[in-house]
Amino acid sequence: VGLLYQEYRDKSTRQEIETRRLQDSQTDPEESSPSEETPSEAEPTSTTESKAPPQISLLRNSNSRFNLWQDLPEIRSSGVLSILQPDEIKLQEAMFELVTSEASYYKSLNLLVSHFMENERLKKILHQSEAHILFSNVLDVMAVSERFLLDLEQRVEENIVISDVCDIVYQHTVNHFSVYITYVSNQTYQERAYKQLLQDKPAFREVISQLELDPKCKGLSFSSFLILPFQRITRLKLLVQNILKKVEEKSDRETTALDAHKELETVVKACNEGVRKMSRTEQMISIQKKLEFKIKSVPIISHSRWLLKQGELQQMNGPKTSRTLRTKKLFREIYLFLFNDLLVICRQIPGDKYQVFDSAPRGLLRVEELEDQGQSLANVFILRLLENADDREASYMLKASSQSEMKRWMISLAPNRRTKFVSFTSRLVDCPQIQCVHPYVAQQPDELSLELADVLNILDKTDDGWIFGERLHDQERGWFPSSMGEEILNPKIRAQNLKECFRVHKSDDSQRRKLGSRNRQ
């Protein structure tokens, strides 16, 4: 296989972006050609010289490079391209993409193990426990990938027209992919150990630098190899989604694709929870140590609680009637800790401590924006606690440092509040959409990390360059800078994106409806 997975994935997502740009510039999404409509992660693959039936070996050979299933000599010489319908060719490309990308991923995993993990100099430098934290169960992950790839390859070799791959994805996800949860859950420890080793062991730093310079690594960093399993399990879910969008509705292939997608979604969610769990626990312990209660103490640490947002706001002094007064002391600083189920209102005191003077369950918070109140009251909103620490209703007039900060607080404090473009309860409205053209790493708990080619509904935006969006493929919501994306202007493309999203998640929706029906009963 010619490309390492990191190169392959980058090439694929950039091609996906360009395909969407092309479609967005056209009046009719059907105008683009089949090869343009298929965002191909398509790995350079290789072939073996064989007689009937033609065989395509992805694991054993790495000489030739082909971007698409239809470009393979075996396919071109067979005559099937003149027989198959355009929609079936697109589906073949989507399935082939899943197989070839797994071959590229396996190649990168193999390099991580053979070039880094098994390096004799590195073995001598690392203590056994350090090596275990750094590489975790990567051998198990690689063994699972190899078994998965062999089954996929066998299916491809059965017939030049691929019958299905999602049944194989389903079986391997259910029976073997738990190794990904173990690996990804170790990510926080892994990152910390790597940083510590770079800092404390010059010999480790030197060996890693030398290994990274090897032409085999193609200029890629050691850390880019370490994060491969998490990237792959997430990408695999998207590849199955791509297949699901192209299979015939109400067909057996749709059923297997839906089943595979559901199981992959379970694994990805477990991976995400595994990553969050440790950092959340540490964060809660740290916050608990900083709080001093002026009111009745509230236990902060809980397994089901995590931080959503924290920060300083300005509280207006005095009753509402005095809000027109022009004085430097009109506002005073307060500090908020907002958890998923609780708001704690504090004032900062010496020694990096916070004195808590009020609190309320998150479900009993309401917010209201003040409009056209003049410069002194710009970015001001009212926070109402329907039941505070004294079991009474309380109101706070709060001023944020910017429009985006005000909106971010309002949406975090009252998440079910209607946004600018679409209600949270409505999924059938044509709202603005954006595709990510620059990756973004979230800096705050209310922000959303973005990968190249992510497509999001724009739920709200601010004048100072921030967007609140909902990613279509997993319904995750959060803020990100508007400079990270390009708006999708063609309404037909937006409608097509929504239609595909509903189709992918229709099994989830039917499950939710069943649950809702049971709850009402």
Side-chain angles (χ1 to χ4, degrees), residues 319-484:
K320 287 186 183 180
T321 51
S322 69
R323 68 186 183 192
T324 55
L325 294 176
R326 293 183 179 180
T327 168
K328 290 180 180 177
K329 295 185 178 179
L330 186 61
F331 294 96
R332 64 181 296 191
E333 293 82 9
I334 64 168
Y335 202 93
L336 271 57
F337 289 95
L338 178 65
F339 304 100
N340 61 309
D341 62 346
L342 176 71
L343 172 68
V344 175
I345 307 176
C346 323
R347 287 197 173 88
Q348 195 160 7
I349 56 177
D352 194 26
K353 298 275 187 180
Y354 299 89
Q355 188 179 65
V356 181
F357 65 87
D358 210 351
S359 67
R362 187 176 176 224
L364 297 179
L365 304 176
R366 300 293 182 268
V367 292
E368 176 191 341
E369 185 176 351
L370 292 181
E371 296 180 1
D372 302 321
Q373 296 293 330
Q375 188 59 40
S376 64
L377 292 176
N379 308 320
V380 171
F381 67 97
I382 294 169
L383 169 64
R384 284 198 298 129
L385 282 56
L386 300 185
E387 189 177 295
N388 72 350
D390 297 325
D391 298 325
R392 294 181 303 178
E393 184 171 326
S395 289
Y396 294 90
M397 187 176 291
L398 303 174
K399 181 179 175 71
S401 58
S402 64
Q403 185 197 43
S404 58
E405 191 62 13
M406 177 190 72
K407 285 200 170 189
R408 286 169 69 162
W409 270 112
M410 291 178 72
I411 285 177
S412 294
L413 288 161
N416 294 321
R417 181 175 166 272
R418 185 180 175 86
T419 57
K420 184 174 180 179
F421 295 109
V422 63
S423 163
F424 279 97
T425 56
S426 169
R427 296 176 61 199
L428 296 171
V429 179
D430 174 31
C431 68
Q433 288 178 5
I434 193 168
Q435 78 159 332
C436 171
V437 295
H438 303 290
Y440 180 68
V441 178
Q443 306 297 310
Q444 301 290 335
D446 65 337
E447 293 179 10
L448 186 64
S449 291
L450 301 178
E451 296 279 356
L452 284 173
D454 279 351
V455 177
L456 304 99
N457 278 337
I458 299 174
L459 303 180
D460 213 331
K461 61 166 65 171
T462 68
D463 296 335
D464 53 353
W466 284 85
I467 287 174
F468 184 61
E470 178 185 71
R471 188 163 44 218
L472 293 189
H473 78 73
D474 60 5
Q475 278 83 60
E476 289 283 326
R477 294 176 180 142
W479 291 90
F480 54 90
S482 56
S483 57
M484 296 299 109

Side-chain angles (χ1 to χ4, degrees), residues 40 65 71 98 114 116 139 167 173 184 222 242 258 277 326 363 427 444 451 481:
S40 174
R65 293 191 168 200
D71 290 335
L98 188 147
S114 62
F116 290 98
L139 291 175
D167 56 331
T173 306
V184 175
F222 174 54
N242 196 30
L258 283 168
K277 192 174 181 181
R326 293 183 179 180
R427 296 176 61 199
Q444 301 290 335
E451 296 279 356

Side-chain angles (χ1 to χ4, degrees), residues 4 68 76 106 120 137 209 263 271 311 318 390 456 465:
L4 292 174
L68 297 167
R76 289 204 171 280
Y106 176 78
E120 290 302 325
N137 64 328
S209 296
E263 292 302 326
C271 287
D390 297 325
L456 304 99

Side-chain angles (χ1 to χ4, degrees), residues 12-278:
S12 155
T13 49
R14 293 196 182 281
Q15 188 173 338
E16 199 171 333
I17 288 168
E18 290 306 319
T19 300
R20 217 172 268 127
R21 280 175 177 159
L22 178 67
Q23 290 175 332
D24 196 30
S25 67
Q26 295 169 343
T27 53
D28 189 338
E30 294 302 317
E31 286 178 19
S32 55
S33 68
S35 62
E36 288 167 342
E37 274 200 35
T38 306
S40 174
E41 202 180 7
E43 152 74 31
T45 62
S46 49
T47 63
T48 53
E49 291 183 9
S50 58
K51 297 174 183 176
Q55 294 188 342
I56 304 158
S57 176
L58 305 171
L59 193 58
R60 294 183 291 274
N61 298 281
S62 57
N63 300 321
S64 303
R65 293 191 168 200
F66 301 100
N67 287 327
L68 297 167
W69 171 81
Q70 60 194 296
D71 290 335
L72 292 167
E74 296 90 334
I75 306 303
R76 289 204 171 280
S77 62
S78 69
V80 294
L81 293 175
S82 61
I83 301 168
L84 296 177
Q85 294 296 315
D87 285 348
E88 180 62 33
I89 292 174
K90 291 177 198 173
L91 176 57
Q92 290 295 312
E93 296 290 8
M95 291 192 288
F96 188 65
E97 180 184 1
L98 188 147
V99 181
T100 54
S101 63
E102 188 66 29
S104 178
Y105 167 63
Y106 176 78
K107 178 188 172 103
S108 289
L109 275 184
N110 196 39
L111 191 58
L112 171 61
V113 171
S114 62
H115 186 60
F116 290 98
M117 182 179 171
E118 294 178 350
N119 180 269
E120 290 302 325
R121 287 177 65 197
L122 208 56
K123 280 183 180 179
K124 289 174 184 175
I125 294 167
L126 292 176
H127 187 273
Q128 191 175 350
S129 60
E130 292 171 331
H132 178 68
I133 293 171
L134 203 55
F135 295 104
S136 189
N137 64 328
V138 70
L139 291 175
D140 295 336
V141 174
M142 190 169 78
V144 163
S145 174
E146 182 172 6
R147 192 184 304 133
F148 181 43
L149 180 55
L150 286 168
D151 283 353
L152 290 171
E153 187 181 60
Q154 185 178 350
R155 176 64 57 83
V156 171
E157 290 175 352
E158 285 174 3
N159 196 311
I160 53 173
V161 178
I162 306 165
S163 58
D164 197 1
V165 293
C166 288
D167 56 331
I168 297 172
V169 175
Y170 173 82
Q171 290 297 334
H172 281 261
T173 306
V174 170
N175 297 318
H176 306 299
F177 281 6
S178 60
V179 296
Y180 281 96
I181 301 169
T182 305
Y183 186 93
V184 175
S185 298
N186 181 56
Q187 192 173 306
T188 306
Y189 296 98
Q190 186 187 64
E191 288 173 0
R192 186 181 301 168
Y194 181 48
K195 286 177 185 173
Q196 201 68 43
L197 285 165
L198 287 174
Q199 187 177 314
D200 297 347
K201 292 191 174 184
F204 172 81
R205 192 166 59 242
E206 184 187 342
V207 171
I208 289 294
S209 296
Q210 288 175 357
L211 292 173
E212 287 175 336
L213 290 172
D214 192 295
K216 291 178 192 170
C217 295
K218 300 188 179 180
L220 296 163
S221 68
F222 174 54
S223 56
S224 78
F225 287 90
L226 289 177
I227 61 169
L228 283 169
F230 188 35
Q231 290 180 333
R232 180 56 184 170
I233 196 68
T234 308
R235 187 66 181 169
L236 199 55
K237 187 188 84 166
L238 297 182
L239 292 171
V240 170
Q241 281 189 10
N242 196 30
I243 293 169
L244 185 49
K245 293 168 188 175
K246 293 172 171 59
V247 293
E248 324 83 76
E249 293 199 44
K250 298 181 181 176
S251 65
D252 289 342
R253 289 197 291 194
E254 184 189 54
T255 302
T256 58
L258 283 168
D259 289 344
H261 181 266
K262 184 180 176 184
E263 292 302 326
L264 280 169
E265 193 138 58
T266 301
V267 172
V268 170
K269 282 179 180 175
C271 287
N272 285 327
E273 278 307 304
V275 171
R276 291 170 182 155
K277 192 174 181 181
M278 180 193 155

